[in-house]
Amino acid sequence: MSESAEATSPAAEAPGQANVGESRTYREQLYAAWWTWPLPLVMAGLLAAEVHMGYPGIRAWLPYVLLLPIAVAVPLWLGRTKLEVTGGELWVGDAHVPLRFIEDAEVVPAAEKRRALGPELDPAAFVLHRPWAPASVRIWLNDEDDPTPYWVVSSRRPEQLAAALRS
């Protein structure tokens, strides 16, 4: 199958979503951790209270109505990322790669994650880093047409993701 035929496949029409009849091998949603919620709420509350003290009338309650929902939306938006191995492809958010191009997958433990994302990181690598996910998986690619040597993807269950990619 050519690359252009893959781009027009039904899986490309529904990114990250498994088609009916396809079996999922692995699925994970990288929800934002509980400790990401208080800081935006406190900051929005303090900023709204500061504006409230300075302006009477409608301008007093308007910052609460605007800023507090934004402070809730930010952690929800950060936690929308899905990791999925389905239909012969690895989906990481909106990015995807066919499993036939995956050469190997290795778990990067939490102790080595900083080095893997710092001095050892290839500038051409694809990175999806979430600080609340303790470990990562480095996925080596074998595609002559793609300049990306590997992907580094944060995961809460890196061993299961690596096993799903190897099988």
Side-chain angles (χ1 to χ4, degrees):
M1 181 185 300
S2 69
E3 292 298 318
S4 61
E6 283 182 334
T8 60
S9 69
E13 295 171 8
Q17 303 299 319
N19 293 328
V20 178
E22 290 181 354
S23 62
R24 287 190 185 128
T25 307
Y26 179 83
R27 183 181 173 119
E28 176 181 3
Q29 179 132 6
L30 294 176
Y31 293 109
W34 66 269
W35 49 267
T36 61
W37 288 83
L39 184 61
L41 287 171
V42 168
M43 295 299 290
L46 287 174
L47 184 59
E50 192 169 326
V51 172
H52 176 86
M53 291 188 301
Y55 294 103
I58 192 168
R59 292 178 286 185
W61 60 267
L62 193 59
Y64 294 103
V65 172
L66 295 175
L67 293 175
L68 291 176
I70 290 172
V72 169
V74 167
L76 286 174
W77 180 76
L78 288 172
R80 78 190 191 291
T81 306
K82 292 179 188 169
L83 307 177
E84 193 171 14
V85 178
T86 183
E89 290 188 322
L90 166 66
W91 287 87
V92 179
D94 292 334
H96 63 98
V97 64
L99 293 178
R100 65 187 166 141
F101 292 128
I102 294 177
E103 185 175 317
D104 193 18
E106 66 175 308
V107 175
V108 179
E112 297 176 19
K113 187 175 179 181
R114 182 175 177 158
R115 190 175 58 219
L117 293 174
E120 293 179 1
L121 184 68
D122 187 329
F126 173 81
V127 177
L128 183 112
H129 171 65
R130 296 294 182 255
W132 51 84
S136 294
V137 177
R138 188 176 321 183
I139 303 159
W140 296 95
L141 302 179
N142 185 16
D143 184 8
E144 296 81 26
D145 297 331
D146 190 0
T148 306
Y150 58 87
W151 288 17
V152 179
V153 179
S154 294
S155 176
R156 287 196 171 106
R157 302 182 317 237
E159 292 84 11
Q160 292 176 3
L161 175 59
L165 291 171
R166 288 186 197 119
S167 62

